[in-house]
């Protein structure tokens, strides 16, 4: 069933009003010092529909750090470069462990469980480092093109702040290198990965950027085929099974949409053949997902009947 963006506007306004009731329930991400300074009492939501319409509420135009949501876009770039060969280096199953865990690297002999845990995203970043002198420019260029916005940028302060504490990611990269699953130097790969995570976008920009994933890889606004046919289904399936840290099962049960979250408090969700949604609120639950964002998507999916199941 098609829903025009304007039909969703009243529901989004209600959801935004309800979200402020959840402020104080979660905590800001602490291991990136710069993110711990963000005003926690913020909430934004945007929906981009296939006809080019946008509905939004709250702080939907405020840019935030997309963090792990960037892993979806770096995966798309790596698949462009390597095609299915990428899967020789990265798996496609949930890890059942924290996203930054090192345990599985040894257990799986250097082949990370999936592209959305940090070790997997480091291998993906390595593919981009291999192809471009300044991979962050490739990434920001892609995000700007998809979002139709030149405001999308890398927050170098956030990247610097994370790099000052990125001991686990350096350790993961060193282990991956030892297993022969990184071509680049571990430091350069962590540097590129951290800068991808530091991309800054608003909910409106992120919802627009995600639209090709809801539209068989085509940008519905320009008609350009961004991803080859079939790719969006594959990427969406990985988001559904591995996109919400250890809460992917709970999210599939309560919301029923492929999605990817980040520790900046953003969640991007795809409603295949209908729309893309971005929501942001900085306070996180213990698994690393936005408290108000998760609740907002649950209500939106229920009231607008969006679940894929
Ligand atoms: N840059 C963060 C890290 O590597 C991303 C974490 C996330 O959003 O899941 O720890």
């Amino acid at each position: 069933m098609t829903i025009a963006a304007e039909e969703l506007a009243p529901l989004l306004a209600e959801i935004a009003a309800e979200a402020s009731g959840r402020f104080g329930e979660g905590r800001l991400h602490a291991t990136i010092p710069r993110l711990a300074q963000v005003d926690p009492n913020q909430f934004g939501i945007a929906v981009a529909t296939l006809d080019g319409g946008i509905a939004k509420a709250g702080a939907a135009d405020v840019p935030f750090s997309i963090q792990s949501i960037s892993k979806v876009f770096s995966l798309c770039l790596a698949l462009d470069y390597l095609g299915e060969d990428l899967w020789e280096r990265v798996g496609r199953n949930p890890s059942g462990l924290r996203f930054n865990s090192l345990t599985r690297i040894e257990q799986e002999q250097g082949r990370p469980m999936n592209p959305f845990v940090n070790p997997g995203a480091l291998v993906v970043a390595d593919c981009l480092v291999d192809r471009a002198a300044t991979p962050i420019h490739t990434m920001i260029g892609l995000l700007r093109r998809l979002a139709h916005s030149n405001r999308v940028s890398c927050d170098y302060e956030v990247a610097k702040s994370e790099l000052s504490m990125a001991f686990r990611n350096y350790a993961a990269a060193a282990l991956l290198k030892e297993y022969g699953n990184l071509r680049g130097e571990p430091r350069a790969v962590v540097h590129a990965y951290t800068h991808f995570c530091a991309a800054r976008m608003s909910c409106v920009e992120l919802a627009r950027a995600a639209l090709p994933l809801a539209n068989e890889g085509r940008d519905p606004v320009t008609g350009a085929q961004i991803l080859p046919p079939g790719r969006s289904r594959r990427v969406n399936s990985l988001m559904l099974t591995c996109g919400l840290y250890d809460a992917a099962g709970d999210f599939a049960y309560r919301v029923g949409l492929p999605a990817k979250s980040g520790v900046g408090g953003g969640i991007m969700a795809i409603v295949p053949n209908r729309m893309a949604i971005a929501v942001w609120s900085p306070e996180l639950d213990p698994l690393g997902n936005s408290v108000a964002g998760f609740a907002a998507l649950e209500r939106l999916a229920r009231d607008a009947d969006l679940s894929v199941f």
Side-chain angles (χ1 to χ4, degrees):
M1 185 186 53
T2 317
I3 308 180
E6 56 269 25
E7 289 175 61
L8 287 172
L11 176 57
L12 297 191
E14 258 180 54
I15 288 173
E18 199 173 85
S20 55
R22 293 194 163 260
F23 293 163
E25 283 183 24
R27 302 178 70 150
L28 291 175
H29 185 61
T31 55
I32 303 177
R34 190 83 186 181
L35 290 186
Q37 295 166 7
V38 169
D39 172 5
N41 299 336
Q42 301 187 78
F43 175 87
I45 187 164
V47 171
T49 48
L50 295 198
D51 60 1
I54 296 275
K56 59 182 178 174
D61 290 301
V62 176
F64 62 92
S65 193
I66 68 169
Q67 291 298 316
S68 272
I69 299 170
S70 66
K71 290 170 180 169
V72 176
F73 298 100
S74 51
L75 172 64
C76 290
L77 282 171
L79 284 169
D80 271 353
Y81 296 152
L82 296 193
E84 295 291 304
D85 289 351
L86 176 68
W87 304 121
E88 285 166 23
R89 297 176 62 186
V90 185
R92 296 189 294 254
N93 284 307
S95 73
L97 292 168
R98 293 283 298 167
F99 64 94
N100 56 5
S101 169
L102 307 181
T103 314
R104 283 286 193 161
I105 303 180
E106 285 227 285
Q107 284 173 348
E108 303 296 321
Q109 305 278 303
R111 182 172 178 263
M113 291 298 290
N114 68 67
F116 299 150
V117 287
N118 286 8
L122 287 166
V123 171
V124 166
D126 182 55
C127 303
L128 276 57
V129 169
D130 214 24
R131 292 289 175 127
T134 46
I136 182 59
H137 292 165
T138 312
M139 172 63 86
I140 296 297
L142 172 71
L143 293 175
R144 285 185 174 174
R145 204 155 23 96
L146 292 176
H148 299 276
S149 168
N150 282 333
R151 221 175 52 138
V152 176
S153 62
C154 172
D155 187 332
Y156 288 94
E157 287 301 317
V158 167
K160 196 168 138 200
S161 165
E162 177 166 356
L163 284 171
S164 72
M165 302 285 288
F167 309 114
R168 263 185 176 272
N169 287 339
Y170 284 127
L175 265 179
L176 292 165
K177 182 78 179 173
E178 204 261 345
Y179 278 107
N181 201 1
L182 287 192
R183 313 258 187 277
E185 281 311 310
R187 276 196 162 266
V189 173
V190 172
H191 190 272
Y193 160 80
T194 307
H195 282 77
F196 299 159
C197 289
R200 262 165 77 80
M201 301 173 79
S202 67
C203 288
V204 167
E205 289 163 339
L206 190 57
R208 276 213 175 108
L211 264 185
L213 289 167
N215 192 39
E216 303 279 351
R218 232 170 316 108
D219 182 330
V221 180
T222 62
Q225 188 76 38
I226 306 286
L227 306 170
R231 176 80 42 85
S232 56
R233 290 178 190 212
R234 301 237 148 89
V235 173
N236 289 344
S237 73
L238 289 164
M239 281 199 269
L240 187 81
T241 51
C242 311
L244 270 279
Y245 309 118
D246 290 345
D250 192 33
F251 190 85
Y253 186 89
R254 286 166 54 190
V255 181
L257 295 175
K260 183 74 200 84
S261 57
V263 295
I267 307 178
M268 169 179 95
I270 308 298
V271 190
N273 304 314
R274 296 172 77 184
M275 65 188 78
I277 307 165
V279 62
W280 169 62
S281 190
E283 287 186 341
L284 308 178
D285 64 22
L287 294 179
N289 295 309
S290 169
V291 172
F294 197 141
L297 286 169
E298 186 172 17
R299 163 106 199 259
L300 177 59
R302 188 193 64 210
D303 288 10
D305 194 18
L306 301 180
S307 168
V308 297
F309 299 106

